Amino acid sequence: MMGFKNIITIAFTEGEKRHLTGPHFKLFIGFASILSLFQVWSVIWGKLDPIQLLATHLSLILLLTFTFYSFSKKNETSASPTVLDYICSFLAIGAGIYFNIHAERISERIPIVDPLSSMDILVGFLFVVLSIEAARRTIGMPIVIIVFIGIGYALWGHHLGGLIWHREFSFSEVVEDLTYSFNGLWGSPIAVAASFVYMFLLFGSFLQKAGAGEFFFQLSTALAGRSRGGAAKVAVLTSAFFGMISGSPTANVVTTGSFTIPVSKRSGYKPSFAAAVEAAASTGGSILPPIMGSSAFLMAAITQIPYISIVIAAIIPGILYYLSLLAMVHFEAVRLDLPKAKKEDIPKVSDVLKAGWYYFIPLVVLLVFLLNGYSASRTGFYGVLAIVIVSWFRKKTRMGIKQIFEAMVDGAKSSIPVTTACAAAGLVISGIMSTGLGGKLTSVVLGLTEGMLIPTLLLTMVICIILGIGMPVAAAYILTAMLAAPALMELGVSLMSAHLFIVYFSIFSAITPPVAVAAYAAAGIADSNPNQVGLEAVRLGIVGFIVPFMFVLEPALLLEGSPLEVIIAFFTAVVGVVSLSAGIIGRFQTKANVLDRILLIISGLLLIYPHILFSGIGIFIFAFVFILQKKRQIPFTPIQKGA
């Protein structure tokens, strides 16, 4: 008999991915393929009621979750689904069918006039329980605890006093808001997961299956391999390419880090530094246009800002982040005096482009359709079609029926944690919206910071990082946006700047200790200390923590302003990034002493903030250090007698 303590321990851990075989594997790939085909059909040809679309998507995701993820990592029967897993899967499909049958009634009913039946409440409650269990298996207990707090507050918050009191809600009212309104399970998070996000995850899996991964690695090697410290620069560029596609920092680390980290170590970098470079570069992929992570799609849905506008605004911050990583890697290589790779080991850029130039066509297709006003979902589908077509350019990469179905299954796998996180976030949002807590929390945030912008920004950053400890980027963004974005906008911050600020810190929580999931994954590959890798990754990714403050204070970094303002902001920020990177690493033209490093860091901070006075002072300090170090480089030649 399993003891009570063991049961509690198992229940409070997340599940583990199974290595399915035999009929279980066939069942999984069958339903995964059905899900992908359904998503494509719904985007291009389907005209379903929103409830039907979302209920079908969620029920299929729940089925895949209970099939693919075990109850716990300690579950002895994790190799194949258990009876409990199949019961949960059956109930999930049953709940989805019920909502499909009654979709019209649910959509048209008037809550007070048309009360829910006992069966409605039972099926709705069942969907909630299954969604919470799926979130626990795929993500872990932290997000589940937050869901319980949100639902518990809705049920019993009327017993509290003061600002957080709300009127009493019955159990049926809470279930109604969670599952029979567009605040809870069927809110914007799950709607985005079932449309934009799924199609772009499918796009990424098709691009990988078509062989783009090898091409981007070879291209990165050709571009950066000949320079000093080229191995780590290759890691930065490769992770940038992959990060745009995957949208998941941890998945990106596992995919690219398996070969970039060992190569960086062999080149002479410390294990912790090699792992930190990979973690920081993989995390930045979610902010790099033209394909950003799931949080950008969620931002588009919540703010109603066109996705292409978000992509355009994120161009300069994305460039600055990766420029800083490349600069730090370069200065570290110079500091360690690492040798350059042999020329014969590095492919030519022209040869690489000649062999795989067509992999850029799907990216161009995405940009063209987005710029022409097509929806992100339909654009993603056209991108997938473009991948299949270009894969036929070479026999080696040609995608047949088998490869297409494998890509659809991989896309479904990738969507599982995203959808479960969005479903859980929707449950929390329901508690915030129905009780009026959102508006109250805005008052609390402004009260804590006394209405001052910088403290409010700092508090928002802390909230993002704390939430990011226990949940994926998408969920951390949604919850922080509900809590803090209104407070920022009340202080005069634009809608774009406020939400993009939250997106950044939701993403960079992946490398922020004490629980830096991307850094932990990289540390495992590098056989290094996770906390040391996390701290190193934060140091390398410092620009990602600075730039959001800068574009809130000066929107020119988001391409908001006159052309002259944007050009000046970009070029001063580029010099600032180089200066900051040199100061942090401790190497510029020559070894930087303590004073040099302090001045370089100050200069970098002043230059990144695009204000004419600060930029002028920053340029002066940068020039001073440049001249100072230049003089140190000139060797002393004693005057010979008689000369």
Side-chain angles (χ1 to χ4, degrees):
M1 291 289 291
M2 185 180 293
F4 179 74
K5 183 178 179 181
N6 290 333
I7 294 174
I8 294 297
T9 302
I10 289 174
F12 272 73
T13 59
E14 69 271 22
E16 189 172 31
K17 292 179 181 178
R18 293 185 169 109
H19 299 286
L20 298 170
T21 57
H24 305 296
F25 177 69
K26 292 178 181 178
L27 180 69
F28 178 82
I29 63 172
F31 277 103
S33 301
I34 289 171
L35 174 60
S36 291
L37 290 171
F38 169 75
Q39 293 297 143
V40 171
W41 174 83
S42 67
V43 167
I44 304 302
W45 299 285
K47 294 182 179 179
L48 294 175
D49 185 284
I51 290 288
Q52 290 178 313
L53 170 63
L54 301 179
T56 302
H57 175 81
L58 181 58
S59 61
L60 286 171
I61 285 289
L62 292 176
L63 182 149
L64 295 178
T65 302
F66 298 128
T67 307
F68 191 52
Y69 285 82
S70 65
F71 182 76
S72 169
K73 288 181 179 179
K74 296 186 178 183
N75 189 358
E76 296 176 359
T77 59
S78 62
S80 61
T82 63
V83 174
L84 176 62
D85 296 324
Y86 279 118
I87 291 173
C88 290
S89 300
F90 177 78
L91 292 174
I93 294 298
I97 292 171
Y98 185 87
F99 269 78
N100 267 274
I101 292 172
H102 298 277
E104 186 176 354
R105 176 175 64 85
I106 293 169
S107 299
E108 295 178 355
R109 64 181 287 272
I110 302 172
I112 298 175
V113 177
D114 303 318
L116 295 174
S117 67
S118 299
M119 182 58 71
D120 289 337
I121 295 172
L122 176 62
V123 176
F125 179 68
L126 181 63
F127 241 145
V128 171
V129 172
L130 293 174
S131 298
I132 293 172
E133 169 59 12
R136 185 195 66 79
R137 292 194 187 197
T138 56
I139 303 163
M141 278 303 294
I143 193 171
V144 174
I145 291 171
I146 293 175
V147 171
F148 283 155
I149 292 173
I151 296 176
Y153 176 69
L155 286 170
W156 300 296
H158 60 280
H159 294 299
L160 302 174
L163 184 66
I164 57 176
W165 175 90
H166 64 75
R167 74 171 182 85
E168 184 176 356
F169 292 93
S170 67
F171 176 76
S172 61
E173 284 180 304
V174 172
V175 172
E176 177 176 355
D177 200 66
L178 290 173
T179 55
Y180 291 92
S181 73
F182 289 99
N183 283 335
L185 276 182
W186 318 126
S188 57
I190 198 76
V192 172
S195 52
F196 309 152
V197 174
Y198 194 96
M199 290 308 300
F200 274 82
L201 289 173
L202 208 58
F203 176 87
S205 64
F206 268 80
L207 203 57
Q208 291 269 38
K209 191 62 68 174
E214 178 63 23
F215 166 71
F216 286 130
F217 176 70
Q218 290 294 329
L219 181 61
S220 302
T221 304
L223 290 170
R226 288 182 174 83
S227 62
R228 182 170 289 187
K233 292 175 184 174
V234 170
V236 171
L237 294 177
T238 305
S239 298
F241 287 129
F242 273 79
M244 287 192 301
I245 297 168
S246 72
S248 169
T250 307
N252 197 12
V253 167
V254 174
T255 303
T256 61
S258 58
F259 54 86
T260 60
I261 292 173
V263 171
S264 296
K265 286 170 64 178
R266 286 198 299 271
S267 300
Y269 291 103
K270 293 188 300 182
S272 60
F273 187 88
V277 168
E278 178 59 42
S282 294
T283 300
S286 296
I287 60 164
L288 188 63
I291 308 171
M292 301 169 68
S294 57
S295 54
F297 294 106
L298 288 165
M299 176 179 165
I302 291 172
T303 62
Q304 296 301 301
I305 297 173
Y307 178 71
I308 190 62
S309 299
I310 297 171
V311 168
I312 292 171
I315 289 174
I316 290 179
I319 291 173
L320 293 177
Y321 180 73
Y322 276 98
L323 178 63
S324 72
L325 282 180
L326 289 170
M328 289 194 190
V329 165
H330 175 76
F331 288 132
E332 179 71 5
V334 174
R335 188 182 71 82
L336 297 173
D337 195 23
L338 298 182
K340 295 181 180 180
K342 296 178 181 179
K343 289 185 178 180
E344 56 268 24
D345 296 335
I346 306 300
K348 292 182 180 178
V349 175
S350 57
D351 291 341
V352 175
L353 288 175
K354 184 179 179 181
W357 60 270
Y358 48 85
Y359 285 116
F360 287 110
I361 293 177
L363 300 179
V364 174
V365 168
L366 292 183
L367 285 176
V368 169
F369 278 100
L370 285 173
L371 288 171
N372 279 279
Y374 284 77
S375 69
S377 301
R378 190 171 285 264
T379 298
F381 170 73
Y382 291 141
V384 169
L385 281 184
I387 294 167
V388 176
I389 292 170
V390 301
S391 74
W392 279 68
F393 285 14
R394 286 184 180 273
K395 186 176 180 180
K396 182 181 177 181
T397 61
R398 196 168 294 167
M399 294 185 73
I401 298 297
K402 180 184 177 183
Q403 289 76 22
I404 289 172
F405 269 91
E406 287 175 349
M408 289 195 296
V409 171
D410 289 343
K413 283 182 185 176
S414 301
S415 71
I416 291 173
V418 176
T419 297
T420 55
C422 287
L427 297 177
V428 179
I429 290 173
S430 173
I432 293 173
M433 296 293 289
S434 63
T435 60
L437 183 62
K440 297 172 185 177
L441 287 174
T442 299
S443 301
V444 170
V445 170
L446 292 174
L448 288 172
T449 59
E450 298 182 353
M452 294 184 288
L453 180 58
I454 298 300
T456 305
L457 290 171
L458 289 170
L459 180 59
T460 303
M461 178 187 74
V462 171
I463 293 171
C464 282
I465 291 172
I466 290 173
L467 290 176
I469 288 174
M471 60 186 72
V473 169
Y477 162 71
I478 293 167
L479 296 181
T480 310
M482 297 297 297
L483 298 174
L488 292 176
M489 287 186 285
E490 279 199 25
L491 296 176
V493 179
S494 70
L495 181 66
M496 174 76 82
S497 297
H499 281 265
L500 205 55
F501 181 91
I502 295 169
V503 165
Y504 260 68
F505 285 109
S506 300
I507 289 167
F508 285 105
S509 63
I511 58 171
T512 309
V515 184
V517 288
Y520 277 24
I525 298 171
D527 194 22
S528 184
N529 181 280
N531 288 323
Q532 188 177 354
V533 172
L535 291 172
E536 189 74 51
V538 169
R539 186 172 75 106
L540 292 173
I542 192 68
V543 166
F545 293 85
I546 294 171
V547 166
F549 287 91
M550 301 306 179
F551 65 58
V552 167
L553 297 173
E554 181 48 73
L557 287 175
L558 298 181
L559 299 177
E560 295 179 6
S562 68
L564 181 61
E565 289 174 332
V566 171
I567 291 170
I568 292 173
F570 177 68
F571 282 105
T572 57
V574 166
V575 179
V577 161
V578 173
S579 180
L580 184 67
S581 302
I584 289 172
I585 296 298
R587 175 80 195 199
F588 190 31
Q589 296 183 95
T590 185
K591 183 179 179 181
N593 58 33
V594 175
L595 178 61
D596 290 342
R597 296 182 72 170
I598 292 172
L599 291 175
L600 285 168
I601 290 172
I602 292 173
S603 170
L605 293 174
L606 292 173
L607 283 165
I608 292 173
Y609 179 46
H611 186 280
I612 187 167
L613 176 61
F614 291 166
S615 297
I617 298 172
I619 286 288
F620 176 79
I621 296 173
F622 182 79
F624 174 75
V625 178
F626 183 89
I627 294 169
L628 199 64
Q629 288 214 332
K630 197 73 175 176
K631 287 183 177 180
R632 290 196 207 128
Q633 283 186 308
I634 301 173
F636 173 72
T637 305
I639 300 175
Q640 300 293 329
K641 290 183 178 181

